[in-house]
Each structure stands twice: as structure tokens, then as C-alpha cells.
């Protein structure tokens, strides 16, 4: 998904494999030169980082969790107490009040991840408004961008943007198009329907429509509107 909420590529994941094997084939035909690519911890693989930087000439921010235990432990043990706080944001949404604190430090050696130039620590303090329960989470990441290319606020912004895929794509497909309740389950039909839903969402976003449900209602009231939006008439 692009930063504007458009699906740039999709790939079906076979029941006999997992998402890791389709990462490279899905991105192979895209022009990613100088593009920042973000992904969840599952795809924080050394081969993926090399592919992005060396072959696609792209940049990455890789979140590091338990599936990379040695690297995760190394990041945790960096002297974060000595690193100044570089960015702090606060937001209230979905019934939660969240404060995010971000630190970054330049890595010159010892970090076993291809082309890593900066290490990142994000501390998230979440408070549920109704129950007042407070949780604290520390997230670590690495990026090939130097401090001159991307400072802490920029990195924090990119990581927050990554999770927009849940709200802008998956949530819309499920709630507005009732994808999870679909009875279309055999052959290539599910993949085709996913592509059509993505097409509809993308077409509406290109017209400046942020509320997809409202956009669908508007188009349903006049049969010529979908044709005009798709450039058919």
C-alpha cells in the first residue's frame, strides 16, 4: 500500500507456504528507487533487506521482534538511557490515549543486519480511557537511512503510517465490503474479488474520497457516477 492508501500490488499466499516467500515476487516489478518500504516484523529478514537496498535501490525500516532474538537482544542492550529523547507525540483514538517517545542512534558496527545505519527505540504508553488501564511497550527497529537522511520524527511518522494499512485497506474491506463474510471461497475467485475491492477503494481515494462507505452510497444513487469515476464516460 502506498502512503495515500492505494494498493500497489497484491499476491496470493498459498496454504502450503507463508508471506515470507512472496515478499520478493510481489515487489519485483515495482519501481522502488528511493522509496521507503516498511513492513511488519515477520518480513524483517536479512535477505529482504539486501533485496530492497541492493537490487531495488530502496530504503527500509525493519521492526525487530522475537523472530530475530539475537538482534532484538542487541538492540535492547544499547545504551538508550544515554540517548536523548528526539521525538514525542500524543494521540487519542479508538478509546485509547497513547504517548509515543522515540530515540534513534547511529550504528557503526556490531549490528548484524544488512545496511543498517540507525537503531530505533519507540516507547508506547497506552491508557484505555474507559478502564484507565495503562500498558507500556518498547519497540525496536533498524533502518538503512542515516540520521542526515531521516531524523527521529520522520522515522516515527513512517512507522505510524505503516499501520494505516489496517484502517485504510483491511478494515474497509471487512466492514464496508463484508469481505470476511463472503461466501466466495473456491478457485481464483477470492483473489479476483480482493482485487476488485482494492480497485473500488483506490478509485474512490483518487477522487479525494476518504470515507469509502459514504462514497459507495453516493455512487449507488446514480448509475453514471461509477462510470465517470472509472473514466469510462
Amino acid at each position: 500500500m502506498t502512503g495515500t492508501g492505494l494498493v500497489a500490488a497484491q499476491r496470493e499466499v498459498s496454504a502450503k507456504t507463508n508471506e515470507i516467500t512472496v515478499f520478493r515476487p510481489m515487489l519485483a516489478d515495482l519501481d522502488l528507487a528511493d522509496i521507503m518500504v516498511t513492513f511488519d516484523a515477520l518480513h524483517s529478514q536479512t535477505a529482504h533487506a539486501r533485496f530492497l537496498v541492493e537490487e531495488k535501490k530502496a530504503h527500509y525500516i525493519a521492526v525487530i521482534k522475537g523472530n530475530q532474538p539475537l538482534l532484538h537482544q542487541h538492540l535492547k542492550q544499547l545504551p538508550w538511557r544515554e540517548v536523548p529523547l528526539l521525538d514525542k507525540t500524543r494521540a487519542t483514538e479508538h478509546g485509547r490515549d497513547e504517548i509515543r517517545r522515540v530515540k534513534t542512534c547511529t550504528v557503526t558496527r556490531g549490528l548484524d543486519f544488512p545496511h543498517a545505519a540507525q537503531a530505533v527505540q519507540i516507547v508506547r504508553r497506552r491508557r484505555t480511557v474507559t478502564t484507565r488501564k495503562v500498558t507500556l511497550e518498547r519497540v525496536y527497529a533498524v533502518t538503512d537511512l542515516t540520521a542526515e537522511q531521516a531524523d527521529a520524527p520522520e522515522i516515527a511518522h513512517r512507522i505510524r503510517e505503516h499501520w494505516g494499512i489496517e484502517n485504510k485497506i483491511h478494515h474497509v474491506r471487512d466492514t464496508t465490503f463484508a469481505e470476511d463474510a463472503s461466501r466466495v471461497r473456491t478457485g481464483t475467485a477470492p483473489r479476483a474479488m480482493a482485487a476488485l475491492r482494492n480497485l473500488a477503494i483506490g478509485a474512490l481515494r483518487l477522487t479525494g474520497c476518504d470515507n469509502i462507505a459514504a462514497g459507495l452510497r453516493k455512487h449507488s444513487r446514480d448509475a453514471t457516477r461509477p462510470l465517470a469515476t472509472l473514466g469510462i464516460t
Side-chain angles (χ1 to χ4, degrees), residues 6-20:
L6 302 177
V7 174
Q10 69 176 43
R11 189 95 176 186
E12 183 177 11
V13 180
S14 169
K16 297 180 180 180
T17 183
N18 58 45
E19 293 179 14
I20 294 175

Side-chain angles (χ1 to χ4, degrees), residues 211-230:
N211 189 320
I212 301 301
L216 290 174
R217 289 193 295 269
K218 176 182 177 181
H219 281 67
S220 69
R221 290 193 289 267
D222 186 340
T224 64
R225 287 175 182 166
L227 298 177
T229 296
L230 294 172

Side-chain angles (χ1 to χ4, degrees), residues 10 12 184-196:
Q10 69 176 43
E12 183 177 11
V184 179
R185 301 171 182 170
T186 59
T188 60
R191 181 175 59 190
M193 290 303 300
L196 291 173

Side-chain angles (χ1 to χ4, degrees), residues 2 9 13-15 34 56 62 77 80-81 86 103 114 123 131 136 147 152 156-157 162 205 218 233:
T2 67
V13 180
S14 169
D34 295 322
K56 303 301 292 184
Q77 292 175 349
W80 293 109
R81 290 181 181 273
L86 299 175
K103 295 181 177 182
V123 180
T131 64
L136 199 66
H157 172 69
H162 170 79
R205 290 205 192 284
K218 176 182 177 181
T233 58

Side-chain angles (χ1 to χ4, degrees), residues 151-168:
D151 58 12
E154 171 70 10
I155 292 173
H157 172 69
R158 295 291 187 178
I159 292 176
R160 287 196 304 273
E161 267 198 335
H162 170 79
W163 299 113
I165 193 170
E166 293 296 329
N167 295 327
K168 293 180 179 179

Side-chain angles (χ1 to χ4, degrees), residues 11 24 28 41 46 59 91 93 99-100 102 122 136 159 164 167 173 197 204 209:
R11 189 95 176 186
R24 180 168 178 156
T46 57
H59 301 289
E93 56 186 4
I99 298 175
R100 307 179 189 94
V102 181
I122 301 175
L136 199 66
I159 292 176
N167 295 327
R173 280 169 42 175
R197 294 182 188 106
L204 290 173
C209 178

Side-chain angles (χ1 to χ4, degrees), residues 97-201:
D97 183 47
E98 182 174 276
I99 298 175
R100 307 179 189 94
R101 296 178 173 87
V102 181
K103 295 181 177 182
T104 62
C105 64
T106 298
V107 178
T108 56
R109 60 181 180 179
L111 204 59
D112 189 19
F113 202 80
H115 305 285
Q118 288 191 86
V120 185
Q121 182 198 63
I122 301 175
V123 180
R124 298 177 180 142
R125 181 185 182 276
R126 295 191 181 102
R127 181 178 67 90
T128 304
V129 176
T130 54
T131 64
R132 297 187 177 275
K133 180 181 178 181
V134 175
T135 59
L136 199 66
E137 179 187 24
R138 284 180 173 82
V139 177
Y140 298 94
V142 293
T143 177
D144 70 303
L145 291 171
T146 65
E148 290 73 23
Q149 292 174 304
D151 58 12
E154 171 70 10
I155 292 173
H157 172 69
R158 295 291 187 178
I159 292 176
R160 287 196 304 273
E161 267 198 335
H162 170 79
W163 299 113
I165 193 170
E166 293 296 329
N167 295 327
K168 293 180 179 179
I169 300 296
H170 297 305
H171 180 72
V172 173
R173 280 169 42 175
D174 183 28
T175 59
T176 304
F177 292 95
E179 184 173 63
D180 286 352
S182 174
R183 307 285 294 180
V184 179
R185 301 171 182 170
T186 59
T188 60
R191 181 175 59 190
M193 290 303 300
L196 291 173
R197 294 182 188 106
N198 288 337
L199 172 64
I201 294 169

